[in-house]
C-alpha cells in the first residue's frame, strides 16, 4: 500500500536506525517501494540556520535581520554540514559528492541572500517581505541537505531511491506549494521507487509565513492530501504516550494505541503536538488515518489516529499539560446581568492578536489563560481601562484527555488525587463533550500533579 511518512530531525540524526527501522524493517523486494519519506533537517541544523527553537539563541537569519555580515556564518554552516556528512560515510554516503552538493547549494543560497540584503539596504521595500524570503531560503538548506544524504546512501545500497527536492532553487516557475508538489510527483512511478522528499516546500504563498517552524509537517500533510495514501505515518523518537515518561517514569506509561483527531487537536492546544493542527486538518477531512510510530521500536504499531475512533471503554487516554501560562482574571460588579462583557473582553484579545487556551466565568468575573509568550502589557492596560479590576497570575495546567471519559466520579477522583498531594486547584473546566478536563494549578506543582493524576488513572 502507498504510505506517506514523515521523519523528524532527532530520528534523522540516527540515520542508521532510520535505514534499519524505517526503510528496511520487515521489507524486501517490491515492498521497499511505493513509499514517500518526507524528511526534516538533521537535529539542530534549522536552529543554527534560524534560531534555537527552545532558547531563542540567534542563527544566521538574525545576522541578516541586523544587517550584519552573514557570510562567515554561512561558511561555518557549510563546515558543520560537512562534519555531519562525515558521520555517515560508514553508511555508504559518498562524501565527495555530498560535500560538493552542499557547497553548491549554500553558494546559491548566499547569492539569493546577498540580493535580498542589497534590496533591503536600499530602503525602497518593506522589510517584512524581504526577511520572510530570507527565512525561507535558509530553512530550505537543512531539509535539502538531509534528503540528499539519505537518497545518496540508499542508492548506494542498490535501492531505486528518488530525491524529490521541493525547495525550488533552480525553478523560477511561480508555483503554489500544491502546484509544486503535483508537478514534482507527476512523472514518478511510485510503486517502483521510494521517494525521499524535502520537508521544506517552496511556494508563492510562503510556507513559513503561516506555519513557521511547523512547515515540514505541513509539507507532509499536503503531499498526503494530494497522493491520498492508505496511511500517513509520523516517525518520532518516542511514542505518543499516556503521560510524559520524563515526568512519571518510562515504566509508568504506555503508548496510547488509538485515538482520534479531536484529541490530537487537544494535545496541540496544550503544546504537546502529535501533529501541527493545521497539518492534521487535511488528513482528517480526507479520511486519511495517521499513525505515530517510535523510530527505535519498529515492531510496535504505535498509535493510530482516525476521524471516527471512540474508545469502547471509558478511559483517560492522555495526561498532559503545560507550565508557561498566564491567568488573567477580569472582575467588575457590573458584569452580572450585563449583556456584552465577554464580547468586550474578547474584542480586546482580538485587537491584540492573542488567543486563549482556557476560559471560565462567574457572575462578576471572567478568567482567561494564555501562553506566557503571548502576554502583552498593553492588553492588560486596555482591560484595566474598561473594567474595575484585572489580576495576572502565572499558572500551569494539567489535563485529562480522552475520546470517552464521561463517567461519574472522574472529576472527584481527579480532585482527590491532587488534594492528596496538597495541590490546590486554582481553576478548572471542561466543555460539554468532556474530551478535555483542565485544571489550573501553581507552576511549582506541575510535576507532582502529573504524577498524581497518572497514578490515580492508571
Amino acid at each position: 500500500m502507498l504510505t506517506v511518512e514523515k521523519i523528524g530531525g532527532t530520528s534523522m540524526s540516527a540515520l542508521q536506525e532510520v535505514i534499519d527501522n524505517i526503510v528496511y524493517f520487515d521489507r524486501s523486494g517490491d515492498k521497499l517501494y511505493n513509499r514517500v519519506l518526507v524528511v526534516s533537517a538533521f537535529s539542530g541544523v534549522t536552529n543554527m540556520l534560524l534560531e534555537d527553537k527552545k532558547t531563542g539563541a540567534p542563527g544566521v537569519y538574525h545576522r541578516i535581520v541586523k544587517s550584519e555580515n552573514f557570510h562567515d556564518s554561512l561558511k561555518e554552516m557549510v563546515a558543520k554540514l560537512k562534519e555531519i556528512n562525515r558521520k555517515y560515510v560508514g553508511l555508504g554516503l559518498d562524501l565527495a559528492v555530498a560535500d560538493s552538493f552542499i557547497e553548491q547549494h549554500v553558494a546559491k543560497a548566499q547569492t539569493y541572500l546577498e540580493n535580498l540584503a542589497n534590496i533591503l539596504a536600499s530602503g525602497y521595500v518593506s522589510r517584512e517581505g524581504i526577511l520572510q524570503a530570507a527565512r525561507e531560503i535558509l530553512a530550505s538548506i537543512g531539509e535539502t541537505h538531509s534528503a540528499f544524504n539519505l537518497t545518496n546512501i540508499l542508492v548506494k545500497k542498490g535501492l531505486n531511491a528518488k530525491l524529490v527536492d521541493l525547495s525550488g532553487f533552480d525553478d523560477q516557475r511561480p508555483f503554489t506549494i500544491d502546484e509544486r508538489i503535483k508537478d514534482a510527483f507527476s512523472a514518478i512511478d511510485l510503486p517502483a521507487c521510494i521517494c525521499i522528499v524535502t520537508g521544506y516546500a517552496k511556494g508563492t504563498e510562503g510556507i513559513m509565513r503561516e506555519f513557521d517552524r511547523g512547515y515540514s509537517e505541513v509539507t507532509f500533510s499536503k503531499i498526503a492530501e494530494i497522493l491520498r495514501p492508505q496511511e500517513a505515518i509520523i516517525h518520532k523518537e518516542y511514542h505518543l504516550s499516556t503521560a510524559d515518561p520524563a515526568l512519571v517514569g518510562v515504566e509508568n506509561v504506555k503508548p496510547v494505541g488509538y485515538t482520534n483527531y479531536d484529541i490530537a487537536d487537544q494535545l496541540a492546544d496544550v503544546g504537546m503536538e502529535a501533529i501541527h493542527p493545521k497539518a492534521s486538518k487535511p488528513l482528517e477531512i480526507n479520511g486519511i488515518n495517521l499513525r505515530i510510530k517510535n523510530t527505535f521500536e519498529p515492531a510496535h504499531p504505535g498509535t493510530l489516529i482516525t476521524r471516527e475512533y471512540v474508545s469502547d471503554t471509558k478511559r483517560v487516554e492522555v495526561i498532559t499539560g503545560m507550565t508557561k501560562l498566564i491567568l488573567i482574571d477580569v472582575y467588575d460588579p457590573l458584569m452580572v446581568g450585563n449583556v456584552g462583557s465577554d464580547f468586550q473582553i474578547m474584542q480586546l484579545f482580538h485587537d491584540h492578536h492573542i488567543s486563549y487556551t482556557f476560559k471560565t466565568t462567574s457572575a462578576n468575573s471572567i478568567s482567561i489563560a494564555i501562553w506566557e509568550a503571548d502576554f502583552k502589557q498593553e492588553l492588560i492596560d486596555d482591560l484595566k481601562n474598561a473594567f474595575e479590576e484585572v489580576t495576572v497570575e502565572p499558572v500551569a495546567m494539567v489535563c485529562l484527555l480522552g475520546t470517552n471519559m464521561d463517567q461519574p466520579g472522574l472529576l472527584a477522583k481527579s480532585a482527590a488525587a491532587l488534594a492528596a498531594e496538597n495541590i490546590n486547584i486554582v481553576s478548572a473546566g471542561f466543555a460539554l463533550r468532556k474530551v478535555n478536563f483542565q485544571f489550573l494549578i501553581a507552576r511549582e506543582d506541575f510535576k507532582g500533579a502529573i504524577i498524581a493524576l497518572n497514578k490515580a488513572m492508571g
Side-chain angles (χ1 to χ4, degrees):
M1 68 176 185
L2 172 65
T3 58
V4 174
E5 308 175 39
K6 160 90 169 41
I7 307 176
T10 303
S11 293
M12 280 300 295
S13 291
L15 207 50
Q16 179 70 68
E17 284 75 12
V18 167
I19 293 168
D20 293 343
N21 298 347
I22 297 177
V23 176
Y24 280 104
F25 184 77
D26 205 23
R27 294 173 183 268
S28 61
D30 291 343
K31 290 184 179 179
L32 289 163
Y33 301 129
N34 210 26
R35 303 174 72 192
V36 176
L37 306 186
V38 182
V39 301
S40 294
F42 293 116
S43 182
V45 169
T46 307
N47 286 344
M48 291 185 285
L49 288 162
L50 302 178
E51 65 278 315
D52 191 292
K53 195 172 184 179
K54 293 182 179 178
T55 68
V60 179
Y61 169 73
H62 291 271
R63 290 191 172 276
I64 298 172
V65 172
K66 296 179 180 178
S67 299
E68 296 176 352
N69 187 324
F70 59 87
H71 298 81
D72 290 342
S73 296
L74 278 181
K75 286 181 181 178
E76 292 173 10
M77 194 73 231
V78 170
K80 288 174 181 175
L81 295 178
K82 286 183 176 180
E83 186 178 330
I84 291 172
N85 289 350
R86 288 195 291 273
K87 294 179 182 179
Y88 304 122
V89 172
L91 300 181
L93 180 67
D94 189 323
L95 186 61
V97 171
D99 283 355
S100 176
F101 173 81
I102 200 60
E103 284 174 355
Q104 293 176 28
H105 191 77
V106 174
K108 290 178 185 175
Q110 180 170 309
T111 300
Y112 295 149
L113 292 170
E114 286 170 347
N115 291 336
L116 291 177
N118 289 333
I119 295 171
L120 193 61
S122 72
Y124 285 105
V125 294
S126 165
R127 283 177 59 85
E128 183 181 357
I130 296 296
L131 291 176
Q132 187 64 50
R135 194 168 177 81
E136 300 249 352
I137 291 167
L138 286 167
S140 73
I141 293 172
E143 276 77 18
T144 303
H145 172 238
S146 59
F148 180 89
N149 283 8
L150 179 55
T151 306
N152 181 270
I153 291 169
L154 295 182
V155 169
K156 290 286 184 180
K157 291 181 179 295
L159 285 184
N160 182 23
K162 182 175 288 292
L163 173 64
V164 181
D165 186 354
L166 299 177
S167 67
F169 260 42
D170 296 314
D171 187 354
Q172 304 305 314
R173 292 175 293 177
F175 282 156
T176 64
I177 296 167
D178 285 356
E179 288 170 343
R180 188 170 301 282
I181 291 170
K182 290 175 182 177
D183 179 74
F185 282 96
S186 61
I188 295 177
D189 182 12
L190 290 171
C193 72
I194 181 169
C195 295
I196 312 301
V197 190
T198 57
Y200 172 84
K202 176 183 174 184
T204 52
E205 66 270 47
I207 198 167
M208 295 189 72
R209 184 171 289 112
E210 183 174 359
F211 307 107
D212 201 54
R213 296 290 288 270
Y215 61 84
S216 60
E217 287 190 354
V218 174
T219 300
F220 156 77
S221 175
K222 284 181 173 290
I223 291 172
E225 183 180 15
I226 290 167
L227 297 184
R228 298 296 179 94
Q230 279 73 24
E231 193 169 89
I233 304 171
I234 295 180
H235 299 276
K236 294 179 177 284
E237 69 273 19
Y238 49 78
H239 282 294
L240 178 60
S241 299
T242 50
D244 185 348
L247 293 176
V248 305
V250 176
E251 69 280 4
N252 296 316
V253 302
K254 58 184 178 181
V256 174
Y258 297 91
T259 193
N260 62 32
Y261 279 107
D262 189 0
I263 300 303
D265 288 343
Q266 304 298 325
L267 286 167
D269 197 43
V270 296
M272 183 184 169
E273 286 184 9
I275 182 173
H276 192 291
K278 290 186 178 179
S280 70
K281 289 305 147 187
L283 302 180
E284 180 180 0
I285 291 169
N286 288 287
I288 300 171
N289 295 340
L290 173 65
R291 189 177 297 275
I292 309 295
K293 293 202 61 165
N294 184 334
T295 301
F296 306 100
E297 292 187 37
H300 196 290
T303 295
L304 186 66
I305 302 173
T306 69
R307 186 168 56 185
E308 300 85 7
Y309 175 81
V310 175
S311 176
D312 291 334
T313 59
K314 294 189 180 299
R315 66 183 180 113
V316 174
E317 292 167 18
V318 185
I319 298 168
T320 186
M322 50 189 166
T323 57
K324 295 184 178 180
L325 288 179
I326 297 291
L327 181 63
I328 302 170
D329 184 75
V330 182
Y331 167 82
D332 198 302
L334 297 179
M335 276 188 189
V336 61
N338 180 35
V339 176
S341 296
D342 185 63
F343 175 79
Q344 188 177 358
I345 293 171
M346 290 296 95
Q347 185 63 58
L348 289 174
F349 271 72
H350 177 269
D351 293 345
H352 288 279
H353 306 288
I354 296 176
S355 180
Y356 66 88
T357 192
F358 173 94
K359 183 171 70 169
T360 189
T361 68
S362 66
N364 292 324
S365 69
I366 298 177
S367 298
I368 302 168
I370 66 171
W371 286 98
E372 184 178 61
D374 294 336
F375 178 80
K376 294 179 182 178
Q377 184 58 46
E378 295 83 359
L379 169 64
I380 306 303
D381 294 341
D382 285 348
L383 288 169
K384 286 182 176 179
N385 288 333
F387 298 94
E388 182 171 306
E389 185 179 340
V390 178
T391 58
V392 176
E393 180 181 346
V395 293
M397 177 190 284
V398 290
C399 305
L400 305 180
L401 306 179
T403 57
N404 184 7
M405 297 195 302
D406 189 8
Q407 54 184 299
L410 180 60
L411 191 59
K413 186 178 181 181
S414 304
L418 295 175
E421 299 299 324
N422 201 31
I423 297 172
N424 185 47
I425 298 172
V426 176
S427 186
F430 55 87
L432 177 64
R433 297 181 63 249
K434 297 184 179 66
V435 297
N436 185 352
F437 285 71
Q438 301 172 312
F439 302 94
L440 296 187
I441 57 174
R443 288 186 180 180
E444 59 267 24
D445 291 332
F446 178 75
K447 181 176 180 179
I450 294 289
I451 292 172
L453 289 171
N454 187 64
K455 184 177 180 180
M457 303 302 158

